[in-house]
């Protein structure tokens, strides 16, 4: 039986989404002991002030990227299960119970998008994803048993990739569910198409290096 769930998200200029995300997480987990942790990467639009009103923990820090933010939040968590979720509402909070339920059989569960949009992410799915047994390597909608999480990062920003590949390298059992993601927003946090694909390819090579060495 799950003794509690810590839901962790990172934000950067998500003032339009963060309150709705928190309210939907609360509604979904209303009968489960939980906490919501928001790690803000120096937003300039007041995201942190909104998060402080609605989250259990809301903390701001210098902008260091998604992976460090997720790990930072996970280290603040008090429950044995950590769920990471994007703050832009591309991950449906209503899917959290299904994600967590699979931890009965696995140590880490990934909610993979049924359609992976960028070619760099599709390439990663066919390579790194195949190693890990998932079809969406860069989905950060995940449920972790806390012991699967690393203490420190080697690769810097890998968009959550290092957290998954290290778990695989350590022999943890990785499971998967799939979901239909809404259309991607016009100005994603990672950048435009060319920039995003380049950053993901660099992150993928970092993950290969971490896995092999």
């Amino acid at each position: 039986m799950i003794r509690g769930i810590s839901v962790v998200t990172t934000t950067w200029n998500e003032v339009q989404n963060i309150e709705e995300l928190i309210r939907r997480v609360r509604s979904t987990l209303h009968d489960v002991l939980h906490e919501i942790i928001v790690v803000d990467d120096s937003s300039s639009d007041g995201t942190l002030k909104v998060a402080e009103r609605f989250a259990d923990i809301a903390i701001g820090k210098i902008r260091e990227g998604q992976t460090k933010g997720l790990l930072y939040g996970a280290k603040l968590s008090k429950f044995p299960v950590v769920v990471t979720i994007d703050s832009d509402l591309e991950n449906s909070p209503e899917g959290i119970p299904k994600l967590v339920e699979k931890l009965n059989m696995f140590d880490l569960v990934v909610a993979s998008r049924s359609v992976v949009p960028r070619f760099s992410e599709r390439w990663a799915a066919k390579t790194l994803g195949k190693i890990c047994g998932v079809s969406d390597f860069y989905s950060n909608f995940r449920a972790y048993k806390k012991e699967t999480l690393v203490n420190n990062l080697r690769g810097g920003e890998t968009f959550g990739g290092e957290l998954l590949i290290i778990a695989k390298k350590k022999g943890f059992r990785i499971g998967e569910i799939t979901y239909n993601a809404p259309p991607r927003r016009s100005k994603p946090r990672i950048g435009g198409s060319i920039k995003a694909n380049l950053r993901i390819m660099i992150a993928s090579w970092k993950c290969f290096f971490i896995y092999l060495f």
Side-chain angles (χ1 to χ4, degrees):
M1 179 180 293
I2 299 299
R3 299 196 303 274
I5 300 171
S6 298
V7 179
V8 177
T9 191
T10 62
T11 54
W12 185 65
N13 293 341
E14 294 288 355
V15 72
Q16 294 183 334
N17 298 319
I18 191 61
E19 180 179 349
E20 180 181 346
L21 174 69
I22 293 171
R23 289 189 184 278
R24 286 170 62 183
V25 171
R26 296 277 193 222
S27 177
T28 300
L29 300 179
H30 68 277
D31 59 350
V32 179
L33 193 61
H34 70 276
E35 65 177 346
I36 299 173
I37 301 170
V38 177
V39 179
D40 185 71
D41 256 10
S42 300
S43 293
S44 59
D45 66 349
T47 298
L48 181 58
K49 290 186 179 298
V50 176
E52 287 171 340
R53 291 172 54 200
F54 297 101
D56 297 289
I57 298 173
I59 189 165
K61 65 175 188 61
I62 61 172
R63 192 176 180 189
E64 297 177 293
Q66 185 180 32
T67 314
K68 284 189 177 182
L70 292 174
L71 185 57
Y72 190 94
K75 287 181 176 181
L76 297 174
S77 65
K78 64 182 180 182
F79 292 123
V81 169
V82 175
V83 170
T84 58
I85 189 169
D86 288 350
S87 57
D88 58 8
L89 303 178
E90 289 186 9
N91 306 151
S92 172
E94 291 74 22
I96 293 175
K98 183 179 179 182
L99 194 61
V100 171
E101 183 181 8
K102 275 215 143 185
L103 287 178
N104 291 325
M105 297 178 286
F106 299 97
D107 302 306
L108 190 166
V109 182
V110 178
S112 294
R113 294 163 291 182
S114 56
V115 177
V116 180
R118 299 186 181 98
F119 81 82
S120 55
E121 292 176 303
R122 294 193 293 272
W123 180 81
K126 292 178 180 178
T127 53
L128 292 161
K130 189 173 182 179
I131 291 171
C132 295
V134 299
S135 58
D136 186 0
F137 183 75
Y138 284 110
S139 169
N140 275 300
F141 192 14
R142 302 173 184 166
Y144 300 82
K145 290 181 180 176
K146 203 168 181 180
E147 61 266 26
T148 66
L149 289 160
V150 298
N151 290 319
N152 297 290
L153 297 172
R154 293 172 54 194
E157 179 59 289
T158 58
F159 307 105
E162 181 173 347
L163 302 178
L164 185 57
I165 202 69
I166 286 292
K168 176 63 180 179
K169 186 174 182 177
K170 289 185 175 181
F172 289 110
R173 300 166 300 164
I174 300 174
E176 178 182 46
I177 64 172
T178 58
Y179 75 104
N180 296 319
R184 185 178 296 278
R185 61 183 175 179
S186 58
K187 294 182 179 180
R189 178 177 177 175
I190 192 174
S193 178
I194 294 174
K195 181 180 179 181
N197 279 304
L198 178 60
R199 294 182 72 192
I200 291 169
M201 290 300 290
I202 292 171
S204 295
W205 283 111
K206 287 181 182 179
C207 289
F208 273 119
F209 183 86
I210 290 167
Y211 183 69
L212 293 173
F213 303 102

